Amino acid sequence: MTPSEIIGFVLMAGVAAYVQTLTGFAFGLLLMGAVGLTAVMPLRDAAVVTGVLTLVNAAIMMIRGWRDVLRTELVLVLCASLPTLVAGYFLLDHLASTGLIYLRIILGLVIIVSALQLVMPPRKEEKEATKSSFVFFGAFSGIMSGLFSTSGPPLVYHFYRQPLPIAAIRETLVAIFSINALIRLFVVIADGTFPKPVYWPAFFAIITVSLGTHMARRMPLPLSPKTLRLIVFVLLCASGASLALPAIPKALAWS
């Protein structure tokens, strides 16, 4: 990585952490989308770095909120997500080697669909969903975590439909994201695919992620939650479209 690429990545990670802390959503999507657009590193390596940075962001957020974690829902989701996380990781490994164009399309579509959750928040149900539903969404999130280190979208949609305290939902999601990120990191190390030393300067982003998280708590933007969600929605849609649209003609040409 060149000095300008390192600086750019570090700044992007700080902004993503700031947004994640304000919205409870979008850290991995924003960072992976930015990497896909700028090509500062391969998506497979970026997913590893994103996972490590997710752990940093989650650790800071969990210092105060771990007592609010919903333990039953946490166990259900993790039991379902961990096996599919491994499957998603090896699917990424295959696509990174044989179908990078398709990988860009998948990431772009995931970002766009996930962005819709910011402007179309799920409707609250009158009673909590069944245990099997948490298993289903947990399995889906595991695939996304394995692919892109972004297990959030399906779980955010499902959890925020539940008649549960917002603080408990937020802290439970953070706990799930951090555990998934940790397990994914173990899989990467066991598989021997940790990023090459040339990409290690990206881990300097730990500093900006910590700063971004603290700044969001102490100096939030003077915007309404609705306006903030709309801004993030536009950024995500633009990022997703920029990734997917140029790759579609190439994919069609290959088919």
Side-chain angles (χ1 to χ4, degrees), residues 83-106:
T84 55
L85 183 155
V86 176
Y89 168 78
F90 286 107
L91 177 60
L92 169 67
D93 190 56
H94 173 71
L95 290 174
S97 301
T98 63
L100 186 59
I101 294 298
Y102 297 106
L103 189 61
R104 289 174 65 89
I105 294 173
I106 293 170

Side-chain angles (χ1 to χ4, degrees), residues 12-255:
M12 288 187 297
V15 171
Y18 185 89
V19 173
Q20 162 83 12
T21 306
L22 291 178
T23 64
F25 183 56
F27 174 77
L29 292 171
L30 282 172
L31 192 53
M32 287 295 291
V35 169
L37 290 174
T38 58
V40 295
M41 68 176 72
L43 289 175
R44 180 169 59 183
D45 295 320
V48 178
V49 177
T50 298
V52 173
L53 298 179
T54 296
L55 283 171
V56 175
N57 179 256
I60 296 171
M61 295 179 68
M62 288 295 295
I63 289 174
R64 298 179 181 177
W66 63 270
R67 294 181 181 85
D68 293 321
V69 171
L70 302 164
R71 290 170 176 77
T72 299
E73 290 79 359
L74 175 73
V75 171
L76 288 171
V77 169
L78 289 178
C79 286
S81 67
L82 296 184
T84 55
L85 183 155
V86 176
Y89 168 78
F90 286 107
L91 177 60
L92 169 67
D93 190 56
H94 173 71
L95 290 174
S97 301
T98 63
L100 186 59
I101 294 298
Y102 297 106
L103 189 61
R104 289 174 65 89
I105 294 173
I106 293 170
L107 177 57
L109 291 177
V110 165
I111 290 173
I112 292 172
V113 172
S114 302
L116 293 174
Q117 295 182 24
L118 290 168
V119 292
M120 300 172 60
R123 179 174 57 87
K124 285 280 188 182
E125 301 292 344
E126 293 184 1
K127 62 179 183 179
E128 188 172 349
T130 61
K131 292 182 178 180
S132 60
S133 68
F134 284 94
V135 171
F136 172 79
F137 281 94
F140 188 19
S141 75
I143 294 174
M144 292 187 59
S145 180
L147 277 170
F148 304 119
S149 283
T150 56
S151 59
L155 291 178
V156 168
Y157 171 78
H158 188 58
F159 268 87
Y160 276 98
R161 291 173 58 200
Q162 310 309 316
L164 298 167
I166 296 299
I169 291 174
R170 183 177 60 248
E171 302 304 336
T172 303
L173 288 173
V174 171
I176 292 170
F177 299 160
S178 60
I179 294 172
N180 276 345
L182 185 60
I183 296 300
R184 191 185 191 282
L185 182 60
F186 288 153
V187 173
V188 167
I189 294 172
D191 192 42
T193 54
F194 196 79
K196 297 177 181 177
V198 68
Y199 299 118
W200 289 2
F203 290 110
F204 282 122
I206 289 173
I207 298 171
T208 53
V209 166
S210 302
L211 290 174
T213 304
H214 285 298
M215 284 180 63
R217 287 180 168 175
R218 291 178 169 79
M219 295 180 289
L221 291 173
L223 300 172
S224 68
K226 183 177 180 180
T227 301
L228 179 62
R229 286 196 300 268
L230 181 60
I231 292 172
V232 177
F233 167 76
V234 171
L235 288 173
L236 287 173
C237 283
S239 173
S242 299
L243 278 169
L245 292 179
I248 291 175
K250 297 179 182 178
L252 293 175
W254 286 3
S255 60

